[in-house]
Amino acid sequence: MNIFFKFKLDTKLKKSLMLGIIGAIFTIFGLSLLMNVIIKIESKVGLIIGFIALGSGFIFLSVKNLFNHAKQNRNLSDLGLVNKIYDKNILSRGIKVVVIGGGTGLSVLLRGIKKFTSNITAIVTVADDGGGSGKLREDLGMLPPGDIRNCILALADTEPIMEKLLQYRFKEGTLKNQSFGNLLIAAMVGISDSFEHAIKRINQILAVAGKVLPVTTEDITLYAKLKNGQIIKGESQIPLKALENNSSIEKVFIKPKNVKPLEESIKAIKDADVIILGPGSLYTSIIPNLLVNDITKSIRKSSALKIYVSNLMTQPGETDNFTVGEHVKAILNHAGKNVIQYVYANNESIPNEIIEKYREEGAKPVELAQKDMEFFSKNKINVIENNYIEIKKGYLRHNAFQLSKDIVNLVIEKKYSHDKMRFLELNSIVKKVKNTANSL
């Protein structure tokens, strides 16, 4: 219906549509006369054929005019209709990306990556036990849907009103603080063979660019051992208890220990051009995925570029006072070597008013220290710095477009410089995306 509102004031379109309506009337009238001839043999065949021919001609002119208008009128581009099929075809030729993590940071990055390729696999943690997800996990015995919901919405081709609906949280009653999107996933689980099957159906319904997969379909619980020796059970309790005990996290682990990943995830990692860890909560969103059997081993064996995207701010109870290098060391301590080749870090100053706002919450900027550079050099890890910050509604976020563009350019340079045709094809995609962004 929105299309017709856009066309309302366009005189040429009015004329084209009127031609079509007149043509349809003539054609219908001619066909009715033809039926009359066949049944009663009362009308002249020539007159009938004339009506049909005239009506068909009007319809042809109408369709032709509408098509030409669609090609020439840039207003249609605002609705995303002219280039949509072309864009989908082009993006399906983009690089193969696997992103591993969870939380808001991952969903922000996905919104940038999907502008450059639709060959995306998001492997998402299912260790969450707090909030609405935790409630559904407790009540229905299902895996937590929250992080998966956010990633699906980030990659989905939906109208803004649909996204608002799926993110809507009830404010009263027994459903208070529960999101509609979580309930949709729960309902889909109820009519599907498995959680995995339900997520695949949601991917299809919301026209997701790529796919979103749970890291495992088995029920897992995240634990943390603090440096004071205390063991904390539950993802939502870990940062709270670390702060309460004034003791940092030594390591995290999952129970049961020997859980299996989805075969689809392992294949995606094997075939990927690039594997991206983060951004996101270090101990509760990124590392839990690496503790699932065969995930880390598959990353090491993959020929993909392996990237870690550093967080912009520390997280109270998880990464207090951590530098970029300390984030990376924590990942390597849990996953072993050869899972990170490149680190992307912000080098732009964060406005003082934003720093003060986050300081009140116990967070501060994640810095790239000199000792980090020495560690990276020793371990043959490359650091790529740029302005990766964006401020939206007073909150600090990664500039997903700039970050994604830099990652895609790195992949093209490192993996396809020897393949001239593929190199040119991928660069043309990046150029088209940049031109589109500049024109907005």
Side-chain angles (χ1 to χ4, degrees):
M1 292 298 295
N2 288 338
I3 299 172
F4 291 102
F5 289 123
K6 289 277 186 180
F7 290 172
K8 189 173 181 181
L9 300 177
D10 195 315
T11 304
K12 288 184 178 179
L13 281 172
K14 281 185 177 180
K15 289 180 179 179
S16 297
L17 290 171
M18 187 59 68
L19 275 176
I21 292 169
I22 294 170
I25 292 171
F26 274 116
T27 303
I28 292 168
F29 186 56
L31 288 172
S32 67
L33 288 176
L34 180 60
M35 291 300 298
N36 195 42
V37 167
I38 293 171
I39 296 170
K40 298 182 179 179
I41 320 292
E42 290 180 357
S43 299
K44 295 181 180 180
V45 175
L47 179 63
I48 296 166
I49 294 174
F51 273 119
I52 294 174
L54 187 60
S56 300
F58 279 131
I59 291 173
F60 174 78
L61 286 172
S62 173
V63 171
K64 182 180 178 182
N65 289 342
L66 286 171
F67 181 75
N68 287 337
H69 187 278
K71 287 175 67 178
Q72 296 170 8
N73 191 342
R74 285 185 60 85
N75 288 337
L76 284 177
S77 296
D78 297 335
L79 296 173
L81 297 177
V82 174
N83 293 322
K84 183 166 277 190
I85 295 175
Y86 173 76
D87 287 345
K88 284 187 176 181
N89 182 54
I90 290 296
L91 293 180
S92 69
R93 295 283 298 157
I95 63 172
K96 296 178 181 178
V97 179
V98 170
V99 185
I100 300 175
T104 304
L106 184 65
S107 61
V108 169
L109 175 61
L110 290 174
R111 291 179 188 276
I113 290 289
K114 76 174 185 180
K115 296 181 185 297
F116 295 89
T117 180
S118 60
N119 293 318
I120 305 168
T121 301
I123 300 174
V124 185
T125 180
V126 288
D128 189 7
D129 65 353
S133 288
K135 184 66 175 173
L136 288 175
R137 184 176 184 175
E138 180 183 343
D139 290 348
L140 303 179
M142 63 180 283
L143 292 177
D147 285 345
I148 290 173
R149 179 198 77 238
N150 284 331
C151 290
I152 286 174
L153 285 175
L155 293 176
D157 184 12
T158 59
E159 294 295 325
I161 188 64
M162 177 61 74
E163 181 169 350
K164 285 183 179 179
L165 176 63
L166 293 171
Q167 292 286 45
Y168 174 77
R169 289 189 180 274
F170 295 90
K171 297 174 183 178
E172 302 292 341
T174 57
L175 293 177
K176 187 176 180 179
N177 295 325
Q178 187 61 262
S179 81
F180 180 77
N182 282 355
L183 297 178
L184 175 63
I185 293 175
M188 188 62 76
V189 171
I191 63 171
S192 303
D193 297 331
S194 64
F195 186 84
E196 177 186 357
H197 188 212
I199 297 305
K200 286 183 178 179
R201 283 181 165 183
I202 296 290
N203 280 314
Q204 293 167 356
I205 290 170
L206 297 180
V208 167
K211 52 195 172 185
V212 178
L213 304 173
V215 67
T216 181
T217 55
E218 299 182 48
D219 189 21
I220 62 172
T221 302
L222 185 66
Y223 291 78
K225 180 183 178 182
L226 304 183
K227 288 187 177 178
N228 67 3
Q230 187 173 353
I231 303 296
I232 309 299
K233 177 183 178 181
E235 177 268 343
S236 62
Q237 292 299 306
I238 291 171
L240 297 177
K241 294 297 183 181
L243 286 171
E244 186 180 302
N245 285 269
N246 194 28
S247 180
S248 58
I249 298 168
E250 182 177 307
K251 69 173 183 176
V252 292
F253 55 96
I254 58 172
K255 288 185 179 181
K257 184 178 180 181
N258 297 314
V259 294
K260 296 179 180 178
L262 272 63
E263 285 298 322
E264 201 170 348
S265 297
I266 299 301
K267 185 179 187 306
I269 290 171
K270 178 184 177 183
D271 296 340
D273 290 314
V274 60
I275 300 167
I276 306 170
L277 303 178
S281 300
L282 180 64
Y283 287 109
T284 55
S285 290
I286 298 173
I287 292 176
N289 295 291
L290 305 178
L291 303 177
V292 174
N293 276 358
D294 295 332
I295 291 290
T296 299
K297 182 167 69 175
S298 299
I299 293 173
R300 275 197 291 266
K301 290 171 66 175
S302 175
S303 62
L305 299 185
K306 290 121 186 169
I307 290 172
Y308 169 66
V309 177
S310 174
N311 288 344
L312 299 172
M313 304 294 289
T314 61
Q315 290 184 276
E318 279 202 52
T319 56
D320 298 281
N321 300 313
F322 269 37
T323 63
V324 174
E326 285 165 330
H327 281 76
V328 174
K329 286 177 184 177
I331 293 173
L332 300 184
N333 287 340
H334 286 80
K337 295 182 178 181
N338 302 321
V339 295
I340 297 175
Q341 297 170 311
Y342 297 88
V343 171
Y344 280 73
N346 172 61
N347 64 4
E348 179 68 13
S349 297
I350 298 170
N352 288 331
E353 61 270 20
I354 299 297
I355 291 177
E356 287 300 320
K357 179 178 180 178
Y358 277 86
R359 183 176 288 144
E360 292 174 3
E361 301 171 4
K364 68 179 201 176
V366 176
E367 297 179 350
L368 184 63
Q370 181 57 39
K371 63 178 181 178
D372 296 338
M373 300 305 292
E374 294 168 4
F375 171 78
F376 293 145
S377 177
K378 182 179 177 181
N379 288 273
K380 297 180 180 179
I381 295 173
N382 301 283
V383 180
I384 297 173
E385 300 178 71
N386 205 342
N387 177 3
Y388 292 129
I389 66 169
E390 188 172 37
I391 298 169
K392 289 187 175 180
K393 297 180 180 179
Y395 288 94
L396 190 64
R397 296 284 184 263
H398 279 90
N399 184 326
F401 181 81
Q402 183 63 53
L403 180 58
S404 300
K405 180 168 68 70
D406 286 359
I407 289 173
V408 171
N409 282 332
L410 178 72
V411 174
I412 295 171
E413 176 191 343
K414 296 296 181 181
K415 291 191 69 71
Y416 291 104
S417 58
H418 64 283
D419 185 341
K420 186 175 181 180
M421 292 298 292
R422 183 68 171 142
F423 181 82
L424 291 173
E425 179 184 33
L426 292 171
N427 270 306
S428 70
I429 295 174
V430 174
K431 185 177 180 180
K432 182 181 185 301
V433 174
K434 285 171 62 179
N435 289 340
T436 301
N438 290 336
S439 67
L440 294 178

